Every structure is written in C-alpha cells, then in structure tokens.
Amino acid sequence: MRLEDVKDIAVIGGGIMGHGIAQTYAMGGYRVSINDVSDTLLNNALGRIRANLETFAENDFISRDEVDNTLSRIIATTDLEKAVCDADFVTEAVVEDIEVKRKLFNQLDALCPSRTIIASNSSSLLISDFASGTKRQDRVVLTHWFNPPHIVPTVEVIKGHKTSGETVDLVYALLKKVRKMPVRISKEIPGYLVNRIQLAMIREVWYLWEQGIASPEDIDLAVKGSFGFRLSSIGPLLTFDLAGEDTVYAVAKQLLPVISDSHESPLALKKMVEAGELGMKTGKGVFDYSREEWDRIVKQRDKEFLQRLKTLYWSKEQS
Ligand code: NAD
C-alpha cells in the first residue's frame, strides 16, 4: 500500500489518548472511525475532540470552519467490525493490558482487510509479544504518542521483529503528513526510547519527594525552569556538547553513585493508587484541585503547548 492509498483510519479506544489521535488524523484530512465499548464513552470522546478543536481555532491553528469540517470526518461506533471493515490503517489505544491487546489484535486481524496496517499505542509492551497471533506480522507496528496526543509532536515508531521496512516507511510518512515528528526506533526494547529516559528522571523525582528534599511545587518549578526549559529547543546530547564533556563527566562521576538506582516502583506511588488518588481522574493526586481548577489547568496547558508548538515546530515545518 502507498501513502496515497490511505483514506480511512480507525482508532480503537477513545480515552485520554485515542480521542486526540483520532482528532489528529481527522485534522490531516482522513475519514476516521472511533470505537469504544459504550455510547457514553464515545460521546465523551467526541465532546473532548470538539473542545480541543475549539482551542486550536482560538489559537489560530485552524479556522472556525475547520472545527466542523474535522468533526464531520469522524464517526463513532461501538461496532468494531463497522469501525474497521474499510480501514487502511488502524491504531488501538485501549487499556495497557497485554491480554486485552492480544485479544483485540486477533479480532482486528480477522475483521480488517488484508491490506490494513494495525498499530498499537502501548507505552511499555512489545508488539511482538501481543501481535504474534496475527497473520500479518509484517503489517503490525507500534506508534507511541505522547499526552496530549493532538499537540505533542513526537511519535515513536517501533518496529516489531517481523514488521516490514515498507510498513515502517508508510507509517512514518503518514505521521509526517498529519504534522507529527515521527522518530524511528529500530530495535524493540521495553519502554522504547522516551519512556526509559522519562522513567529514569521520575525515579529520582519520587526519591527526592519521599526524602522531603523539596516540596512538590518546588520540584516541578525547578525542573520546568531548568532542563525542562531547555529541552524543547535542544536535546540532551547537544546540551552535553554545549556544556563541555569534561564537566558532564565530572558531574556524572560525582552524582551517579548517590542518586536512586531503585528497581522497585515507588512505595508512595503504590499507596496513592491503592487510595484512589489518581490525579485528574479522581480529583486528588500529588496536588489537590476541584473539577473546575483541573479544567482551567488543562486549558492553560494546551494554550501554552500550542504556542510552543507554533514557535518551535509548526511554522518551520510549513516553510
Ligand atoms: P484510557 O483508560 O483513558 O482509555 C482507554 C479506552 O479504551 C477507554 O475509553 C476504554 O473504554 C477503551 N477500551 C478498553 N477496552 C476496549 C476494547 N476492547 N475495545 C474498544 N475500546 C476499549 O487510557 P489511555 O490513557 O488513553 O491509554 C490507552 C493506551 O495508550 C494504553 O496502552 C496506554 O499505555 C497508552 N498511552 C497512554 C499515555 C497517557 O499518557 N495516558 C501516553 C502514551 C501511551
């Protein structure tokens, strides 16, 4: 299949990730069907997409007309067969559970046309471990998006053991076409690239918080205003070159022996999960906000992210 042959896309799971992924493909001009397990969840997904598109319009990313045009390219259905029977490309964004994904991949393999490429948005699992039952292992691939998926530019494209080069090239081109910044990961390893790096940082963040070294507010502020500030413009390896490798080496020699090397999930995090403190999902997490405050935070986050997207990538990529 060539890129120009891709017309219809299906997204399975319309939650935090699925709705934004569906929105991105619809903004790219594709007809998109979203599938989830209930009409209520699908209506939520469509409501979130409308709200996101309005934020895009308010920030001059798309015109007002494009809000309705994009929505008109999306259909929502609880019928999996209807969602995928004409799809050229399908991506799943259902719960992070290997058995759920294995079952879904087998169903998709049976329901999709033979040409269809099937992708997963798993954040930690290896596609070879749950797509091995399909008869199209050359046409399965991992496309790992980041939250909020309709804004964050990078998508990791991870090749499974049997994924063909053609599949990877086509999916890479598809993501470029919908204005993402795909990154090729040529070897399947757990966590791929970004989550391994991110988890290494999170381990130390939790350690510092548990030890009472700084308040959660100050930890967030310190990261935002230092390497967080730099990172959307220059990556960590270029940062080494700019700082000087001798300095980086001296700091690494000093600090690596003393920072956390724990192989356990943080105990405090486990306790929060057990207490139902799931952040925005339940209204209480590290920080404690009302529903209205969460909505305001997400709106403000999206506005700032969109401004950054425009300055750093969107306009450059158009020129
Ligand atoms: P979520 O819980 O918000 O959404 C999952 C959705 O899938 C739900 O609406 C659920 O009803 C639906 N679903 C479950 N089983 C289904 C099935 N068999 N058929 C159709 N729909 C089904 O989860 P999420 O955060 O969007 O995560 C989805 C996937 O994306 C996971 O694999 C996760 O690891 C990955 N991911 C999440 C993030 C993140 O920041 N949340 C980032 C990157 C990747």
Side-chain angles (χ1 to χ4, degrees):
M1 188 167 47
R2 294 163 311 160
L3 180 61
E4 22 327 350
D5 299 325
V6 178
K7 307 272 186 230
D8 290 278
I9 290 181
V11 179
I12 317 303
I16 293 177
M17 299 305 290
H19 86 277
I21 295 172
Q23 174 189 335
T24 305
Y25 285 123
M27 280 176 65
Y30 291 99
R31 289 188 295 259
V32 177
S33 38
I34 313 184
N35 166 263
D36 208 309
V37 294
S38 77
D39 287 327
T40 310
L41 289 165
L42 286 171
N43 285 334
N44 286 346
L46 292 175
R48 281 163 122 167
I49 293 174
R50 175 174 280 285
N52 294 341
L53 288 169
E54 273 162 12
T55 308
F56 271 65
E58 280 159 25
N59 288 279
D60 300 324
F61 268 76
I62 55 172
S63 67
R64 286 267 151 209
D65 286 349
E66 214 28 51
V67 173
D68 289 326
N69 291 344
T70 304
L71 283 167
S72 73
R73 287 192 283 274
I74 302 175
I75 63 146
T77 173
T78 52
D79 181 340
L80 184 62
E81 183 170 3
K82 186 171 165 209
V84 303
C85 64
D86 287 326
D88 305 298
F89 176 78
V90 176
T91 183
E92 68 78 20
V94 304
V95 282
E96 187 76 346
D97 178 317
I98 190 160
E99 288 313 323
V100 175
K101 290 197 194 282
R102 182 174 288 132
K103 185 172 168 221
L104 180 60
F105 260 74
N106 291 340
Q107 282 176 296
L108 291 172
D109 193 33
L111 295 172
C112 293
S114 60
R115 65 177 186 282
T116 311
I117 293 174
I118 310 176
S120 169
N121 186 49
S122 170
S123 11
S124 61
L125 304 168
L126 302 184
I127 193 139
S128 303
D129 288 345
F130 58 86
S132 51
T134 66
K135 294 186 187 71
R136 61 178 86 208
Q137 289 188 59
D138 56 328
R139 275 157 291 137
V140 296
V141 67
L142 247 148
T143 53
H144 182 222
W145 298 56
F146 296 89
N147 190 30
H150 46 288
I151 301 178
V152 178
T154 290
V155 180
E156 293 177 305
V157 180
I158 303 115
K159 195 176 177 305
H161 285 322
K162 297 192 176 163
T163 310
S164 70
E166 269 170 29
T167 296
V168 171
D169 290 347
L170 192 141
V171 170
Y172 186 92
L174 176 65
L175 288 163
K176 289 278 276 188
K177 188 161 175 227
V178 296
R179 312 184 82 165
K180 287 291 168 186
M181 283 175 41
V183 174
R184 290 172 202 265
I185 315 288
S186 42
K187 196 170 169 187
E188 262 196 319
I189 54 168
Y192 333 127
L193 184 78
V194 175
N195 275 353
R196 291 178 79 102
I197 299 170
Q198 200 166 228
L199 249 293
M201 183 198 73
I202 289 170
R203 174 165 60 188
E204 187 62 20
V205 165
W206 276 94
Y207 175 79
L208 293 169
W209 183 34
E210 279 178 334
Q211 298 294 312
I213 306 297
S215 68
E217 289 82 1
D218 280 344
I219 293 174
D220 271 4
L221 194 63
V223 171
K224 270 197 311 185
S226 59
F227 65 84
F229 177 82
R230 284 196 304 245
L231 279 176
S232 55
S233 296
I234 55 166
L237 295 175
L238 180 56
T239 301
F240 287 176
D241 279 353
L242 294 171
E245 271 70 3
D246 51 341
T247 306
V248 177
Y249 177 66
V251 173
K253 218 167 135 193
Q254 237 5 70
L255 290 188
L256 286 180
V258 296
I259 66 174
S260 174
D261 63 353
S262 170
H263 284 191
E264 302 296 326
S265 299
L267 191 61
L269 184 56
K270 183 166 180 263
K271 283 188 181 153
M272 286 175 76
V273 172
E274 283 166 359
E277 294 174 8
L278 308 182
M280 207 172 92
K281 288 182 181 175
T282 57
K284 183 167 170 48
V286 175
F287 302 105
D288 195 358
Y289 293 113
S290 67
R291 179 75 252 167
E292 295 70 36
E293 284 170 312
W294 282 119
D295 289 346
R296 185 187 51 73
I297 287 167
V298 170
K299 190 100 186 149
Q300 182 61 24
R301 175 200 70 176
D302 287 359
K303 193 172 164 207
E304 287 182 21
F305 281 5
L306 282 170
Q307 283 164 358
R308 200 168 308 149
L309 185 66
K310 204 184 274 178
T311 321
L312 289 170
Y313 311 116
W314 195 273
S315 46
K316 270 190 213 156
E317 177 256 353
Q318 263 185 326
S319 59

